[in-house]
Amino acid sequence: MSDVIREGDDVLFYLDLRRSFLVRARAGRELHTHKGVIRLDDVLGLPYGSAVRSSTGHVFFALRPTIRDYVLKMRRATQIIYPKDMGLILTFTGIGPGWRVVEGGTGTGALTAFLAYHVRPNGHVYTYEVRPEFLRVAEENIRRLGLSDFVDFKLADITEGIEERDVDAVVLDIASPWEAVPHAYEALRPSGAFASFSPTIDQVVRTVEVLREHGFVAIEVVECLLRHIRAEPGKTRPEWLMRAHTGYMTFARKGLPGEG
């Protein structure tokens, strides 16, 4: 990973917390913003983190994009799971390097990218999607992030079955997750992790009921409310607006039958 911006590298031009622009540095190209134009020739060869002035004199910082930046800026065909919820999915499941993960509901590929990024270099993500147009967008997004080697895309309905066996985790973002619970149980290794993201509490209630029926244990349901703080001398306070409800997350582990 180079500290210097090279031809073809991605750069996040940061103006402030609400305004940033993710572009690929190409000679002869320009970034047009409401705060002026940035000539990409001017950033080639600069260290990441450098301050760059636009044509109107506004200062941008040329930062190396993180996985969070890519997720928030990627092309969308559907609503995405936000990083605040993705982080909890990793925390509650333990997903990490070397894990084999099945995902149901690829959508735009935001969660797919986040999972693939964290199972590298020896893990893999198998993602199921029923809409071919969504799958095409997701494949394009994953390719841009350089994560294609860690993802298998499947045009299939996960509620009708999961091909993989002895996987470490199953993560769902689908309308009826309870329909995939029996298949998740069969696909998971003993003690494997289950996670489901649902916008409504009715989905959660039904999913938890079916999880219990199929031998899952350690069932938890959580919601993450994220509030930013405006930190300024003499004026530090919570922001007026916050990203509150996005969805409920249901977590469980695969238990084995027996009297204990």
Side-chain angles (χ1 to χ4, degrees):
M1 185 182 296
S2 173
D3 288 332
V4 174
I5 301 169
R6 301 169 300 186
E7 173 82 17
D9 285 348
D10 287 329
V11 181
L12 184 76
F13 288 99
Y14 173 88
L15 180 63
D16 56 37
L17 285 173
R18 297 185 182 278
R19 295 170 292 185
S20 59
F21 307 86
L22 179 60
V23 300
R24 182 150 290 173
R26 297 289 191 194
R29 302 282 182 86
E30 294 178 334
L31 169 64
H32 292 254
T33 80
H34 64 298
K35 295 295 184 180
V37 177
I38 297 173
R39 296 178 64 253
L40 300 185
D41 284 310
D42 294 341
V43 305
L44 293 175
L46 293 180
Y48 276 106
S50 296
V52 180
R53 287 194 179 273
S54 71
S55 58
T56 56
H58 289 85
V59 176
F60 291 75
F61 287 89
L63 305 179
R64 178 184 290 112
T66 66
I67 186 62
R68 174 176 178 265
D69 298 319
Y70 280 115
V71 164
L72 292 175
K73 298 291 186 182
M74 67 171 43
R75 179 187 169 196
R76 300 184 189 182
T78 63
Q79 181 59 270
I80 68 168
I81 295 180
Y82 283 91
K84 73 180 182 71
D85 299 318
M86 293 181 186
L88 279 187
I89 289 172
L90 291 186
T91 300
F92 276 74
T93 59
I95 291 171
W99 280 48
R100 297 173 64 239
V101 180
V102 168
E103 179 193 25
T106 311
T108 291
L111 180 59
T112 315
F114 202 77
L115 295 171
Y117 181 86
H118 285 90
V119 301
R120 299 175 307 161
N122 301 316
H124 208 81
V125 176
Y126 307 87
T127 185
Y128 288 67
E129 175 57 58
V130 296
R131 300 279 294 272
E133 64 272 26
F134 292 171
L135 215 54
R136 285 192 292 271
V137 173
E139 288 177 320
E140 179 185 321
N141 285 332
I142 298 300
R143 187 163 48 248
R144 176 169 185 182
L145 271 66
L147 297 171
S148 298
D149 290 345
F150 308 103
V151 181
D152 278 4
F153 294 93
K154 299 195 168 194
L155 182 60
D157 187 345
I158 199 168
T159 66
E160 295 180 357
I162 296 175
E163 295 181 346
E164 292 71 33
R165 288 295 181 265
D166 294 319
V167 299
D168 300 290
V170 173
V171 181
L172 304 177
D173 179 18
I174 59 177
S176 54
W178 57 88
E179 294 183 0
V181 165
H183 306 305
Y185 188 90
E186 292 300 319
L188 284 166
R189 64 191 305 176
S191 188
F194 172 93
S196 176
F197 181 89
S198 299
T200 74
I201 201 66
D202 293 333
Q203 294 169 300
V204 171
V205 171
R206 194 162 180 187
T207 301
V208 168
E209 181 181 12
V210 177
L211 284 169
R212 289 178 176 143
E213 291 173 355
H214 284 82
F216 282 90
V217 299
I219 300 171
E220 296 181 81
V221 180
V222 302
E223 179 185 21
C224 180
L225 307 179
L226 180 66
R227 184 170 71 173
H228 284 274
I229 304 299
R230 180 184 293 270
E232 297 180 24
K235 296 188 291 184
T236 297
R237 58 162 178 80
E239 293 281 6
W240 297 118
L241 301 176
M242 65 178 288
R243 189 175 297 284
H245 176 76
T246 47
Y248 304 102
M249 287 160 283
T250 303
F251 300 101
R253 303 288 293 278
K254 177 178 177 176
L256 297 179
E259 298 181 5

